[in-house]
mmCIF file of all heavy atoms in Angstrom:
data_model
loop_
_atom_site.group_PDB
_atom_site.id
_atom_site.type_symbol
_atom_site.label_atom_id
_atom_site.label_comp_id
_atom_site.label_asym_id
_atom_site.label_seq_id
_atom_site.Cartn_x
_atom_site.Cartn_y
_atom_site.Cartn_z
ATOM 1 N N MET A 1 -63.773 25.494 246.870
ATOM 2 C CA MET A 1 -64.028 26.915 247.237
ATOM 3 C C MET A 1 -62.751 27.736 247.340
ATOM 4 O O MET A 1 -62.659 28.877 246.992
ATOM 5 C CB MET A 1 -64.834 26.969 248.536
ATOM 6 C CG MET A 1 -65.254 28.287 248.888
ATOM 7 S SD MET A 1 -66.290 29.018 247.601
ATOM 8 C CE MET A 1 -67.314 30.001 248.499
ATOM 9 N N ARG A 2 -61.698 27.039 247.862
ATOM 10 C CA ARG A 2 -60.379 27.781 248.057
ATOM 11 C C ARG A 2 -59.880 28.239 246.733
ATOM 12 O O ARG A 2 -59.375 29.351 246.620
ATOM 13 C CB ARG A 2 -59.426 26.764 248.735
ATOM 14 C CG ARG A 2 -58.060 27.478 248.967
ATOM 15 C CD ARG A 2 -57.135 26.616 249.842
ATOM 16 N NE ARG A 2 -57.736 26.488 251.139
ATOM 17 C CZ ARG A 2 -57.863 25.360 251.863
ATOM 18 N NH1 ARG A 2 -57.395 24.250 251.317
ATOM 19 N NH2 ARG A 2 -58.337 25.293 253.038
ATOM 20 N N GLU A 3 -60.026 27.389 245.643
ATOM 21 C CA GLU A 3 -59.534 27.810 244.368
ATOM 22 C C GLU A 3 -60.321 28.973 243.808
ATOM 23 O O GLU A 3 -59.789 29.863 243.121
ATOM 24 C CB GLU A 3 -59.599 26.590 243.381
ATOM 25 C CG GLU A 3 -58.632 25.508 243.754
ATOM 26 C CD GLU A 3 -57.207 25.964 243.681
ATOM 27 O OE1 GLU A 3 -56.777 26.673 242.715
ATOM 28 O OE2 GLU A 3 -56.375 25.586 244.545
ATOM 29 N N ALA A 4 -61.665 29.017 244.043
ATOM 30 C CA ALA A 4 -62.473 30.146 243.576
ATOM 31 C C ALA A 4 -62.012 31.441 244.314
ATOM 32 O O ALA A 4 -62.042 32.515 243.653
ATOM 33 C CB ALA A 4 -63.969 29.818 243.851
ATOM 34 N N LEU A 5 -61.692 31.320 245.565
ATOM 35 C CA LEU A 5 -61.227 32.472 246.298
ATOM 36 C C LEU A 5 -59.907 32.971 245.813
ATOM 37 O O LEU A 5 -59.651 34.200 245.707
ATOM 38 C CB LEU A 5 -61.158 32.182 247.796
ATOM 39 C CG LEU A 5 -62.528 31.963 248.501
ATOM 40 C CD1 LEU A 5 -62.282 31.452 249.935
ATOM 41 C CD2 LEU A 5 -63.325 33.195 248.472
ATOM 42 N N LEU A 6 -59.003 32.013 245.329
ATOM 43 C CA LEU A 6 -57.762 32.482 244.793
ATOM 44 C C LEU A 6 -58.015 33.195 243.484
ATOM 45 O O LEU A 6 -57.309 34.266 243.154
ATOM 46 C CB LEU A 6 -56.858 31.294 244.569
ATOM 47 C CG LEU A 6 -56.333 30.561 245.790
ATOM 48 C CD1 LEU A 6 -55.583 29.296 245.456
ATOM 49 C CD2 LEU A 6 -55.401 31.563 246.565
ATOM 50 N N GLU A 7 -58.988 32.713 242.694
ATOM 51 C CA GLU A 7 -59.366 33.422 241.423
ATOM 52 C C GLU A 7 -59.864 34.821 241.703
ATOM 53 O O GLU A 7 -59.540 35.775 241.076
ATOM 54 C CB GLU A 7 -60.325 32.628 240.620
ATOM 55 C CG GLU A 7 -59.752 31.395 240.034
ATOM 56 C CD GLU A 7 -58.785 31.658 238.987
ATOM 57 O OE1 GLU A 7 -58.861 32.617 238.195
ATOM 58 O OE2 GLU A 7 -57.758 30.910 238.891
ATOM 59 N N ALA A 8 -60.637 34.962 242.790
ATOM 60 C CA ALA A 8 -61.181 36.280 243.190
ATOM 61 C C ALA A 8 -60.060 37.205 243.577
ATOM 62 O O ALA A 8 -60.129 38.413 243.281
ATOM 63 C CB ALA A 8 -62.165 36.096 244.391
ATOM 64 N N GLU A 9 -59.041 36.733 244.241
ATOM 65 C CA GLU A 9 -57.865 37.557 244.600
ATOM 66 C C GLU A 9 -57.187 38.017 243.352
ATOM 67 O O GLU A 9 -56.695 39.184 243.292
ATOM 68 C CB GLU A 9 -56.940 36.778 245.515
ATOM 69 C CG GLU A 9 -57.434 36.487 246.892
ATOM 70 C CD GLU A 9 -56.522 35.642 247.694
ATOM 71 O OE1 GLU A 9 -55.404 35.375 247.316
ATOM 72 O OE2 GLU A 9 -56.953 35.284 248.865
ATOM 73 N N LYS A 10 -57.093 37.210 242.353
ATOM 74 C CA LYS A 10 -56.547 37.602 241.049
ATOM 75 C C LYS A 10 -57.301 38.759 240.449
ATOM 76 O O LYS A 10 -56.719 39.747 239.971
ATOM 77 C CB LYS A 10 -56.472 36.515 240.028
ATOM 78 C CG LYS A 10 -55.529 35.384 240.375
ATOM 79 C CD LYS A 10 -55.617 34.300 239.378
ATOM 80 C CE LYS A 10 -54.822 33.017 239.767
ATOM 81 N NZ LYS A 10 -54.946 31.970 238.752
ATOM 82 N N ALA A 11 -58.575 38.687 240.513
ATOM 83 C CA ALA A 11 -59.477 39.776 239.977
ATOM 84 C C ALA A 11 -59.225 41.061 240.790
ATOM 85 O O ALA A 11 -59.100 42.143 240.186
ATOM 86 C CB ALA A 11 -60.974 39.361 240.026
ATOM 87 N N ALA A 12 -59.189 40.975 242.076
ATOM 88 C CA ALA A 12 -59.010 42.139 242.942
ATOM 89 C C ALA A 12 -57.690 42.802 242.596
ATOM 90 O O ALA A 12 -57.555 44.035 242.650
ATOM 91 C CB ALA A 12 -59.152 41.714 244.395
ATOM 92 N N ALA A 13 -56.704 41.966 242.423
ATOM 93 C CA ALA A 13 -55.290 42.582 242.153
ATOM 94 C C ALA A 13 -55.287 43.289 240.802
ATOM 95 O O ALA A 13 -54.413 44.210 240.643
ATOM 96 C CB ALA A 13 -54.275 41.414 242.087
ATOM 97 N N LYS A 14 -56.220 42.992 239.899
ATOM 98 C CA LYS A 14 -56.336 43.713 238.647
ATOM 99 C C LYS A 14 -57.371 44.889 238.711
ATOM 100 O O LYS A 14 -57.591 45.458 237.660
ATOM 101 C CB LYS A 14 -56.758 42.733 237.536
ATOM 102 C CG LYS A 14 -55.735 41.667 237.293
ATOM 103 C CD LYS A 14 -56.299 40.671 236.253
ATOM 104 C CE LYS A 14 -55.256 39.564 236.042
ATOM 105 N NZ LYS A 14 -55.771 38.492 235.144
ATOM 106 N N GLY A 15 -57.874 45.150 239.858
ATOM 107 C CA GLY A 15 -58.934 46.185 239.983
ATOM 108 C C GLY A 15 -60.211 45.867 239.519
ATOM 109 O O GLY A 15 -61.103 46.658 239.305
ATOM 110 N N GLU A 16 -60.502 44.561 239.392
ATOM 111 C CA GLU A 16 -61.783 44.044 239.012
ATOM 112 C C GLU A 16 -62.666 43.741 240.224
ATOM 113 O O GLU A 16 -62.129 43.761 241.348
ATOM 114 C CB GLU A 16 -61.566 42.757 238.223
ATOM 115 C CG GLU A 16 -60.841 42.837 236.885
ATOM 116 C CD GLU A 16 -61.717 43.455 235.778
ATOM 117 O OE1 GLU A 16 -62.927 43.480 235.893
ATOM 118 O OE2 GLU A 16 -61.134 43.748 234.661
ATOM 119 N N VAL A 17 -63.877 43.450 239.930
ATOM 120 C CA VAL A 17 -64.781 42.945 241.007
ATOM 121 C C VAL A 17 -64.204 41.656 241.493
ATOM 122 O O VAL A 17 -63.977 40.737 240.707
ATOM 123 C CB VAL A 17 -66.241 42.783 240.518
ATOM 124 C CG1 VAL A 17 -67.119 42.259 241.597
ATOM 125 C CG2 VAL A 17 -66.805 44.118 240.019
ATOM 126 N N PRO A 18 -63.987 41.478 242.804
ATOM 127 C CA PRO A 18 -63.297 40.276 243.346
ATOM 128 C C PRO A 18 -64.221 39.008 243.323
ATOM 129 O O PRO A 18 -64.689 38.654 244.375
ATOM 130 C CB PRO A 18 -62.886 40.642 244.731
ATOM 131 C CG PRO A 18 -63.849 41.689 245.113
ATOM 132 C CD PRO A 18 -64.228 42.403 243.872
ATOM 133 N N ILE A 19 -64.414 38.418 242.173
ATOM 134 C CA ILE A 19 -65.241 37.257 242.041
ATOM 135 C C ILE A 19 -64.447 36.245 241.192
ATOM 136 O O ILE A 19 -63.872 36.549 240.150
ATOM 137 C CB ILE A 19 -66.615 37.536 241.357
ATOM 138 C CG1 ILE A 19 -67.440 38.541 242.214
ATOM 139 C CG2 ILE A 19 -67.377 36.259 241.149
ATOM 140 C CD1 ILE A 19 -68.676 38.944 241.491
ATOM 141 N N GLY A 20 -64.463 34.944 241.748
ATOM 142 C CA GLY A 20 -63.747 33.930 241.076
ATOM 143 C C GLY A 20 -64.684 32.711 240.948
ATOM 144 O O GLY A 20 -65.634 32.597 241.775
ATOM 145 N N ALA A 21 -64.404 31.818 240.052
ATOM 146 C CA ALA A 21 -65.303 30.664 239.872
ATOM 147 C C ALA A 21 -64.431 29.513 239.360
ATOM 148 O O ALA A 21 -63.456 29.684 238.652
ATOM 149 C CB ALA A 21 -66.440 30.952 238.856
ATOM 150 N N VAL A 22 -64.831 28.278 239.679
ATOM 151 C CA VAL A 22 -64.240 27.096 239.184
ATOM 152 C C VAL A 22 -65.346 26.112 238.809
ATOM 153 O O VAL A 22 -66.420 26.125 239.316
ATOM 154 C CB VAL A 22 -63.266 26.430 240.205
ATOM 155 C CG1 VAL A 22 -62.038 27.282 240.458
ATOM 156 C CG2 VAL A 22 -63.936 26.007 241.460
ATOM 157 N N VAL A 23 -65.023 25.306 237.790
ATOM 158 C CA VAL A 23 -65.918 24.232 237.321
ATOM 159 C C VAL A 23 -65.252 22.884 237.651
ATOM 160 O O VAL A 23 -64.092 22.766 237.234
ATOM 161 C CB VAL A 23 -66.292 24.359 235.845
ATOM 162 C CG1 VAL A 23 -67.161 23.181 235.383
ATOM 163 C CG2 VAL A 23 -66.915 25.679 235.490
ATOM 164 N N VAL A 24 -65.882 22.051 238.380
ATOM 165 C CA VAL A 24 -65.354 20.766 238.834
ATOM 166 C C VAL A 24 -66.146 19.649 238.223
ATOM 167 O O VAL A 24 -67.361 19.628 238.246
ATOM 168 C CB VAL A 24 -65.356 20.674 240.340
ATOM 169 C CG1 VAL A 24 -64.719 19.370 240.795
ATOM 170 C CG2 VAL A 24 -64.585 21.803 240.977
ATOM 171 N N ALA A 25 -65.401 18.620 237.673
ATOM 172 C CA ALA A 25 -66.021 17.427 237.131
ATOM 173 C C ALA A 25 -65.224 16.287 237.681
ATOM 174 O O ALA A 25 -63.999 16.216 237.502
ATOM 175 C CB ALA A 25 -66.045 17.386 235.635
ATOM 176 N N GLU A 26 -65.869 15.339 238.303
ATOM 177 C CA GLU A 26 -65.278 14.139 238.878
ATOM 178 C C GLU A 26 -64.060 14.463 239.748
ATOM 179 O O GLU A 26 -63.018 13.827 239.715
ATOM 180 C CB GLU A 26 -64.837 13.194 237.763
ATOM 181 C CG GLU A 26 -66.079 12.697 236.964
ATOM 182 C CD GLU A 26 -65.700 11.712 235.851
ATOM 183 O OE1 GLU A 26 -64.544 11.237 235.776
ATOM 184 O OE2 GLU A 26 -66.614 11.456 235.006
ATOM 185 N N GLY A 27 -64.279 15.529 240.559
ATOM 186 C CA GLY A 27 -63.233 15.932 241.561
ATOM 187 C C GLY A 27 -62.042 16.705 240.930
ATOM 188 O O GLY A 27 -61.096 16.999 241.711
ATOM 189 N N GLU A 28 -62.086 17.072 239.682
ATOM 190 C CA GLU A 28 -61.006 17.769 239.011
ATOM 191 C C GLU A 28 -61.532 19.084 238.504
ATOM 192 O O GLU A 28 -62.581 19.193 237.906
ATOM 193 C CB GLU A 28 -60.451 16.912 237.903
ATOM 194 C CG GLU A 28 -59.304 17.554 237.207
ATOM 195 C CD GLU A 28 -58.736 16.691 236.026
ATOM 196 O OE1 GLU A 28 -58.941 15.451 236.072
ATOM 197 O OE2 GLU A 28 -58.108 17.236 235.098
ATOM 198 N N ILE A 29 -60.658 20.081 238.672
ATOM 199 C CA ILE A 29 -61.024 21.478 238.129
ATOM 200 C C ILE A 29 -60.800 21.361 236.653
ATOM 201 O O ILE A 29 -59.688 21.108 236.144
ATOM 202 C CB ILE A 29 -60.181 22.547 238.784
ATOM 203 C CG1 ILE A 29 -60.523 22.658 240.248
ATOM 204 C CG2 ILE A 29 -60.480 23.914 238.046
ATOM 205 C CD1 ILE A 29 -59.675 23.667 241.036
ATOM 206 N N ILE A 30 -61.866 21.692 235.886
ATOM 207 C CA ILE A 30 -61.754 21.657 234.395
ATOM 208 C C ILE A 30 -61.912 23.057 233.829
ATOM 209 O O ILE A 30 -61.667 23.247 232.615
ATOM 210 C CB ILE A 30 -62.801 20.683 233.781
ATOM 211 C CG1 ILE A 30 -64.241 21.079 234.093
ATOM 212 C CG2 ILE A 30 -62.492 19.254 234.205
ATOM 213 C CD1 ILE A 30 -65.251 20.300 233.317
ATOM 214 N N GLY A 31 -62.213 24.032 234.679
ATOM 215 C CA GLY A 31 -62.344 25.406 234.232
ATOM 216 C C GLY A 31 -62.253 26.361 235.389
ATOM 217 O O GLY A 31 -62.629 26.027 236.490
ATOM 218 N N ARG A 32 -61.627 27.514 235.154
ATOM 219 C CA ARG A 32 -61.503 28.469 236.245
ATOM 220 C C ARG A 32 -61.539 29.898 235.585
ATOM 221 O O ARG A 32 -61.238 30.037 234.410
ATOM 222 C CB ARG A 32 -60.220 28.361 237.046
ATOM 223 C CG ARG A 32 -58.974 28.367 236.298
ATOM 224 C CD ARG A 32 -57.687 28.242 237.162
ATOM 225 N NE ARG A 32 -57.550 27.012 237.798
ATOM 226 C CZ ARG A 32 -57.408 26.839 239.136
ATOM 227 N NH1 ARG A 32 -57.344 27.882 239.886
ATOM 228 N NH2 ARG A 32 -57.316 25.625 239.673
ATOM 229 N N GLY A 33 -61.917 30.850 236.388
ATOM 230 C CA GLY A 33 -61.983 32.170 235.815
ATOM 231 C C GLY A 33 -62.194 33.212 236.925
ATOM 232 O O GLY A 33 -62.585 32.869 238.041
ATOM 233 N N HIS A 34 -61.870 34.467 236.663
ATOM 234 C CA HIS A 34 -62.136 35.591 237.528
ATOM 235 C C HIS A 34 -62.633 36.729 236.669
ATOM 236 O O HIS A 34 -62.387 36.768 235.468
ATOM 237 C CB HIS A 34 -60.902 35.927 238.288
ATOM 238 C CG HIS A 34 -59.670 36.262 237.552
ATOM 239 N ND1 HIS A 34 -58.829 35.248 237.136
ATOM 240 C CD2 HIS A 34 -59.171 37.400 237.055
ATOM 241 C CE1 HIS A 34 -57.813 35.802 236.474
ATOM 242 N NE2 HIS A 34 -58.055 37.101 236.404
ATOM 243 N N ASP A 35 -63.384 37.627 237.294
ATOM 244 C CA ASP A 35 -64.021 38.695 236.567
ATOM 245 C C ASP A 35 -62.892 39.488 235.781
ATOM 246 O O ASP A 35 -61.827 39.819 236.311
ATOM 247 C CB ASP A 35 -64.683 39.636 237.516
ATOM 248 C CG ASP A 35 -66.168 39.322 237.642
ATOM 249 O OD1 ASP A 35 -66.556 38.160 237.535
ATOM 250 O OD2 ASP A 35 -66.982 40.311 237.878
ATOM 251 N N LEU A 36 -63.276 39.798 234.544
ATOM 252 C CA LEU A 36 -62.354 40.575 233.667
ATOM 253 C C LEU A 36 -63.220 41.683 232.863
ATOM 254 O O LEU A 36 -62.778 42.073 231.870
ATOM 255 C CB LEU A 36 -61.605 39.696 232.759
ATOM 256 C CG LEU A 36 -60.499 38.839 233.308
ATOM 257 C CD1 LEU A 36 -59.961 37.885 232.239
ATOM 258 C CD2 LEU A 36 -59.388 39.694 233.960
ATOM 259 N N ARG A 37 -64.394 41.957 233.414
ATOM 260 C CA ARG A 37 -65.271 42.870 232.674
ATOM 261 C C ARG A 37 -64.673 44.169 232.355
ATOM 262 O O ARG A 37 -64.792 44.685 231.275
ATOM 263 C CB ARG A 37 -66.545 43.049 233.468
ATOM 264 C CG ARG A 37 -67.423 41.784 233.579
ATOM 265 C CD ARG A 37 -68.671 41.956 234.430
ATOM 266 N NE ARG A 37 -68.325 42.610 235.678
ATOM 267 C CZ ARG A 37 -69.095 43.411 236.378
ATOM 268 N NH1 ARG A 37 -70.335 43.614 235.957
ATOM 269 N NH2 ARG A 37 -68.707 43.950 237.471
ATOM 270 N N GLU A 38 -63.997 44.766 233.329
ATOM 271 C CA GLU A 38 -63.435 46.052 233.107
ATOM 272 C C GLU A 38 -62.193 46.007 232.257
ATOM 273 O O GLU A 38 -62.046 46.763 231.343
ATOM 274 C CB GLU A 38 -62.983 46.664 234.487
ATOM 275 C CG GLU A 38 -64.158 46.894 235.435
ATOM 276 C CD GLU A 38 -65.286 47.737 234.908
ATOM 277 O OE1 GLU A 38 -64.936 48.764 234.206
ATOM 278 O OE2 GLU A 38 -66.428 47.456 235.146
ATOM 279 N N SER A 39 -61.258 45.049 232.451
ATOM 280 C CA SER A 39 -60.095 44.882 231.655
ATOM 281 C C SER A 39 -60.349 44.653 230.186
ATOM 282 O O SER A 39 -59.734 45.182 229.348
ATOM 283 C CB SER A 39 -59.244 43.744 232.184
ATOM 284 O OG SER A 39 -58.848 43.948 233.529
ATOM 285 N N LEU A 40 -61.319 43.823 229.876
ATOM 286 C CA LEU A 40 -61.690 43.415 228.555
ATOM 287 C C LEU A 40 -62.763 44.356 227.934
ATOM 288 O O LEU A 40 -63.102 44.176 226.753
ATOM 289 C CB LEU A 40 -62.155 41.977 228.486
ATOM 290 C CG LEU A 40 -61.110 40.962 228.922
ATOM 291 C CD1 LEU A 40 -61.754 39.550 228.884
ATOM 292 C CD2 LEU A 40 -59.869 41.011 228.073
ATOM 293 N N CYS A 41 -63.382 45.223 228.738
ATOM 294 C CA CYS A 41 -64.534 46.011 228.264
ATOM 295 C C CYS A 41 -65.555 45.120 227.649
ATOM 296 O O CYS A 41 -66.054 45.342 226.530
ATOM 297 C CB CYS A 41 -64.035 47.136 227.245
ATOM 298 S SG CYS A 41 -62.848 48.314 227.964
ATOM 299 N N ASP A 42 -65.906 44.043 228.402
ATOM 300 C CA ASP A 42 -66.823 43.058 227.933
ATOM 301 C C ASP A 42 -67.765 42.680 229.106
ATOM 302 O O ASP A 42 -67.371 42.106 230.090
ATOM 303 C CB ASP A 42 -66.024 41.828 227.480
ATOM 304 C CG ASP A 42 -66.840 40.685 227.050
ATOM 305 O OD1 ASP A 42 -68.101 40.748 227.115
ATOM 306 O OD2 ASP A 42 -66.317 39.702 226.560
ATOM 307 N N ALA A 43 -68.975 43.041 228.855
ATOM 308 C CA ALA A 43 -70.010 42.847 229.935
ATOM 309 C C ALA A 43 -70.270 41.372 230.227
ATOM 310 O O ALA A 43 -70.825 41.004 231.295
ATOM 311 C CB ALA A 43 -71.338 43.497 229.560
ATOM 312 N N SER A 44 -69.852 40.504 229.335
ATOM 313 C CA SER A 44 -70.011 39.046 229.530
ATOM 314 C C SER A 44 -68.778 38.385 230.168
ATOM 315 O O SER A 44 -68.832 37.148 230.479
ATOM 316 C CB SER A 44 -70.295 38.390 228.171
ATOM 317 O OG SER A 44 -69.187 38.296 227.403
ATOM 318 N N ALA A 45 -67.777 39.157 230.496
ATOM 319 C CA ALA A 45 -66.581 38.546 231.003
ATOM 320 C C ALA A 45 -66.690 38.343 232.581
ATOM 321 O O ALA A 45 -65.792 38.681 233.323
ATOM 322 C CB ALA A 45 -65.295 39.380 230.654
ATOM 323 N N HIS A 46 -67.722 37.722 233.008
ATOM 324 C CA HIS A 46 -67.946 37.351 234.400
ATOM 325 C C HIS A 46 -67.100 36.090 234.660
ATOM 326 O O HIS A 46 -66.918 35.252 233.817
ATOM 327 C CB HIS A 46 -69.419 37.079 234.712
ATOM 328 C CG HIS A 46 -70.238 38.282 234.713
ATOM 329 N ND1 HIS A 46 -70.533 38.987 235.906
ATOM 330 C CD2 HIS A 46 -70.888 38.939 233.746
ATOM 331 C CE1 HIS A 46 -71.342 39.949 235.569
ATOM 332 N NE2 HIS A 46 -71.587 39.990 234.276
ATOM 333 N N ALA A 47 -66.692 35.910 235.950
ATOM 334 C CA ALA A 47 -65.904 34.783 236.314
ATOM 335 C C ALA A 47 -66.594 33.494 235.942
ATOM 336 O O ALA A 47 -65.982 32.567 235.430
ATOM 337 C CB ALA A 47 -65.761 34.809 237.829
ATOM 338 N N GLU A 48 -67.879 33.352 236.180
ATOM 339 C CA GLU A 48 -68.642 32.118 235.894
ATOM 340 C C GLU A 48 -68.642 31.773 234.445
ATOM 341 O O GLU A 48 -68.460 30.647 234.037
ATOM 342 C CB GLU A 48 -70.083 32.275 236.400
ATOM 343 C CG GLU A 48 -70.183 32.545 237.850
ATOM 344 C CD GLU A 48 -70.130 34.044 238.231
ATOM 345 O OE1 GLU A 48 -69.793 34.880 237.334
ATOM 346 O OE2 GLU A 48 -70.447 34.324 239.396
ATOM 347 N N ILE A 49 -68.860 32.756 233.590
ATOM 348 C CA ILE A 49 -68.857 32.591 232.127
ATOM 349 C C ILE A 49 -67.500 32.187 231.659
ATOM 350 O O ILE A 49 -67.360 31.204 230.824
ATOM 351 C CB ILE A 49 -69.353 33.878 231.421
ATOM 352 C CG1 ILE A 49 -70.782 34.263 231.828
ATOM 353 C CG2 ILE A 49 -69.231 33.706 229.899
ATOM 354 C CD1 ILE A 49 -71.762 33.183 231.549
ATOM 355 N N LEU A 50 -66.468 32.820 232.131
ATOM 356 C CA LEU A 50 -65.054 32.541 231.675
ATOM 357 C C LEU A 50 -64.722 31.156 232.158
ATOM 358 O O LEU A 50 -64.063 30.384 231.351
ATOM 359 C CB LEU A 50 -64.083 33.538 232.211
ATOM 360 C CG LEU A 50 -64.353 34.967 231.774
ATOM 361 C CD1 LEU A 50 -63.362 35.944 232.412
ATOM 362 C CD2 LEU A 50 -64.194 35.036 230.213
ATOM 363 N N ALA A 51 -65.134 30.686 233.360
ATOM 364 C CA ALA A 51 -64.817 29.328 233.799
ATOM 365 C C ALA A 51 -65.506 28.303 232.973
ATOM 366 O O ALA A 51 -64.978 27.262 232.596
ATOM 367 C CB ALA A 51 -65.201 29.176 235.274
ATOM 368 N N LEU A 52 -66.814 28.597 232.639
ATOM 369 C CA LEU A 52 -67.581 27.640 231.796
ATOM 370 C C LEU A 52 -66.961 27.540 230.372
ATOM 371 O O LEU A 52 -66.896 26.492 229.801
ATOM 372 C CB LEU A 52 -69.047 28.112 231.694
ATOM 373 C CG LEU A 52 -69.861 27.892 232.989
ATOM 374 C CD1 LEU A 52 -71.259 28.560 232.882
ATOM 375 C CD2 LEU A 52 -70.051 26.385 233.215
ATOM 376 N N ARG A 53 -66.515 28.710 229.844
ATOM 377 C CA ARG A 53 -65.938 28.678 228.557
ATOM 378 C C ARG A 53 -64.666 27.776 228.526
ATOM 379 O O ARG A 53 -64.426 27.014 227.582
ATOM 380 C CB ARG A 53 -65.572 30.024 228.075
ATOM 381 C CG ARG A 53 -66.727 30.886 227.657
ATOM 382 C CD ARG A 53 -66.381 32.264 227.266
ATOM 383 N NE ARG A 53 -67.529 33.086 226.977
ATOM 384 C CZ ARG A 53 -67.509 34.417 226.888
ATOM 385 N NH1 ARG A 53 -66.378 35.133 227.080
ATOM 386 N NH2 ARG A 53 -68.634 35.031 226.589
ATOM 387 N N GLU A 54 -63.862 27.990 229.585
ATOM 388 C CA GLU A 54 -62.632 27.153 229.695
ATOM 389 C C GLU A 54 -63.000 25.664 229.809
ATOM 390 O O GLU A 54 -62.345 24.802 229.161
ATOM 391 C CB GLU A 54 -61.768 27.641 230.856
ATOM 392 C CG GLU A 54 -60.500 26.840 230.968
ATOM 393 C CD GLU A 54 -59.579 27.323 232.094
ATOM 394 O OE1 GLU A 54 -59.071 28.472 231.945
ATOM 395 O OE2 GLU A 54 -59.406 26.617 233.068
ATOM 396 N N ALA A 55 -63.986 25.371 230.628
ATOM 397 C CA ALA A 55 -64.394 23.945 230.807
ATOM 398 C C ALA A 55 -64.873 23.322 229.507
ATOM 399 O O ALA A 55 -64.685 22.142 229.315
ATOM 400 C CB ALA A 55 -65.434 23.882 231.845
ATOM 401 N N ALA A 56 -65.516 24.123 228.677
ATOM 402 C CA ALA A 56 -66.086 23.636 227.411
ATOM 403 C C ALA A 56 -65.174 23.597 226.246
ATOM 404 O O ALA A 56 -65.431 23.089 225.195
ATOM 405 C CB ALA A 56 -67.369 24.417 227.081
ATOM 406 N N ALA A 57 -63.984 24.259 226.431
ATOM 407 C CA ALA A 57 -63.032 24.339 225.334
ATOM 408 C C ALA A 57 -62.551 22.964 224.944
ATOM 409 O O ALA A 57 -62.214 22.107 225.815
ATOM 410 C CB ALA A 57 -61.905 25.263 225.703
ATOM 411 N N PRO A 58 -62.372 22.732 223.630
ATOM 412 C CA PRO A 58 -61.829 21.426 223.250
ATOM 413 C C PRO A 58 -60.367 21.247 223.673
ATOM 414 O O PRO A 58 -59.610 22.189 223.777
ATOM 415 C CB PRO A 58 -61.888 21.486 221.705
ATOM 416 C CG PRO A 58 -62.195 22.855 221.312
ATOM 417 C CD PRO A 58 -62.631 23.594 222.572
ATOM 418 N N GLY A 59 -60.008 19.968 223.953
ATOM 419 C CA GLY A 59 -58.622 19.660 224.140
ATOM 420 C C GLY A 59 -58.108 19.858 225.474
ATOM 421 O O GLY A 59 -57.051 19.831 225.898
#
């Protein structure tokens, strides 16, 4: 949870909605993200979606 809150702080610093998310597998963070909807002009750039995309990325 602490890591998600740090991500939310990153969003707030950018003037975004202060929401952060992390994806954890076997005790390790494999994806993280914070809202970037305004910065990217992308309605799908929610913290949760960005964290899931990172977690699913190859390599």
Side-chain angles (χ1 to χ4, degrees):
M1 185 60 151
R2 182 172 294 134
E3 293 297 319
L5 291 172
L6 291 173
E7 289 296 320
E9 289 176 9
K10 291 178 188 177
K14 295 176 181 176
E16 296 282 349
V17 177
I19 298 174
V22 294
V23 178
V24 178
E26 298 180 11
E28 182 179 337
I29 295 174
I30 61 170
R32 58 177 65 234
H34 54 274
D35 266 30
L36 291 173
R37 294 178 310 152
E38 301 301 322
S39 299
L40 299 177
C41 296
D42 180 352
S44 71
H46 288 266
E48 303 86 349
I49 299 299
L50 297 175
L52 287 169
R53 287 179 183 163
E54 183 175 293

